Amino acid sequence: MSVLHAFERTVVSQIIRAGLPAASQDRAGLVYHRQLLSKDAQMALLSDVCALVALCPLFQPLMPRTGKPFSVAMTNCGPLGWVSDKAGYRYQPLHPVTGAPWAAMPPSLLALWREVSGYGADPEACLINMYAADAKMGSHQDRDESDFDAPVVSISLGDAATFHVGGLKRTDPKVRFRLESGDVIVLGGASRLAFHGIDRLHGGTSPLDLAGFDPGCRRINLTLRRVTKAHPLTEGRP
Ligand code: MD6
Ligand code: FE
C-alpha cells in the first residue's frame, strides 16, 4: 500500500471522528477539531490579534524569485516570524518593515498549543494570515522549520474557507473540507509535510466582525509552529 493511500485514510477517518464534540488528538495524522473555540473564545482571540497587529503591522509578502505578491497579507507573533521575499522563505526575529521584534505570543495561543499539539515544548512562531474576499493560498508544504516532530496547529477565524490537503507530492490526490470560524487543525505525524492550501472563501459566513482588524479582512488564519529543535531537558513540560 502506498504512503498516500494510508495518509488519505487517516485524513478521512479523522474528519469523520471530528464530528464528535471534542475530537481527541492523534499524532499519526491530521486532526480536525471542529468548533473547538466557542464564539466567546473566538472573539477573545480576535481582540488579541487586533492588539498584535497594532504593534506588528500586516505586510505584503512576495514570492521568492518572481517577487509576485501573495494574495494574503501577513504578520507574526512569538520569538520568530515567517517571512517571504525575493530572497526566499525564512524565519527571523524582526519584523521586515518596522525592524522591531515580533510581539509576544498571547497566553490564549500558548494555552491552545499546549492543549492540542501533544508536543512537549512551546511554539516559537505564530504566522497570522489575513484573507480579503478573493484571497487564496496555493498548495504548499510547511517545511521551513528544523523540527518536523512538532505539528503545525492552525486556527481559523471569520469566513468559512475550502481547505485542501493531499499527500507528500504536489500532484497527489487531495481531500477538501470546509474550515469554519473556531475550527482548529493539527497537522502532525504522517501529514506534517502534506501539501495543503485554501481554494476559496465563502463570503458572508463569518460569525465575527473582522472590520476592526482590517477593512478588507474576511478571514484570519493563525498557524503555530515550533521552528528549532526542542531541548527536552530545558524546555520540556511535565
Ligand atoms: C489557511 N493554512 O488555513 C492556511 N499550514 O489559511 C495553512 O497553510 C496550514 O491550515 C499548516 C498547517 C495547517 C494549515
Ligand atoms: Fe501551511
Side-chain angles (χ1 to χ4, degrees):
M1 191 193 293
S2 73
V3 170
L4 170 67
H5 192 189
F7 167 68
E8 279 206 318
R9 258 211 341 250
T10 304
V11 170
V12 172
S13 65
Q14 293 292 2
I15 292 168
I16 292 165
R17 275 184 41 202
L20 304 168
S24 63
Q25 51 100 10
D26 175 352
R27 300 278 323 276
L30 182 156
V31 184
Y32 177 20
H33 296 270
R34 182 178 284 154
Q35 294 301 285
L36 185 64
L37 302 184
S38 66
K39 175 97 186 275
D40 283 352
Q42 293 171 46
M43 289 193 300
L45 182 55
L46 179 62
S47 89
D48 287 345
V49 174
C50 286
L52 280 171
V53 170
L55 296 170
C56 297
L58 293 162
F59 62 93
Q60 197 70 58
L62 305 176
M63 297 291 286
R65 293 185 305 280
T66 63
K68 194 172 162 244
F70 281 50
S71 69
V72 299
M74 293 178 179
T75 189
N76 290 269
C77 62
L80 292 170
W82 188 87
V83 301
S84 178
D85 57 24
K86 284 182 95 163
Y89 306 134
R90 64 192 172 278
Y91 284 94
Q92 61 182 46
L94 304 178
H95 190 291
V97 179
T98 67
W102 305 106
M105 212 171 293
S108 54
L109 289 177
L110 282 176
L112 183 69
W113 170 274
R114 290 173 184 174
E115 195 173 311
V116 302
S117 71
Y119 195 73
D122 281 339
E124 294 167 299
C126 176
L127 173 62
I128 303 168
N129 286 325
M130 195 281 282
Y131 289 72
D134 58 353
K136 51 187 155 212
M137 173 81 66
S139 225
H140 66 278
Q141 293 170 296
D142 286 34
R143 55 179 307 154
D144 301 317
E145 303 74 33
S146 316
D147 187 352
F148 296 142
D149 292 338
V152 177
V153 173
S154 157
I155 306 146
S156 293
L157 295 175
D159 273 349
T162 300
F163 179 77
H164 69 254
V165 58
L168 301 180
K169 295 203 298 284
R170 189 180 286 281
T171 52
D172 285 339
K174 296 173 171 58
V175 290
R176 291 186 156 75
F177 52 98
R178 188 175 156 121
L179 286 182
E180 311 265 357
S181 193
D183 288 351
V184 173
I185 285 184
V186 182
L187 206 58
S191 57
R192 175 62 181 77
L193 291 173
F195 277 91
H196 60 276
I198 293 290
D199 298 335
R200 71 179 190 94
L201 266 49
H202 300 272
T205 58
S206 176
L208 306 173
D209 178 8
L210 303 188
F213 181 79
D214 182 280
C217 179
R218 297 289 179 270
R219 176 172 183 266
I220 298 168
N221 175 252
L222 303 114
T223 42
L224 296 163
R225 298 113 187 277
R226 180 77 210 177
V227 179
T228 64
K229 285 210 179 290
H231 301 288
L233 287 177
T234 52
E235 294 188 58
R237 287 179 286 108

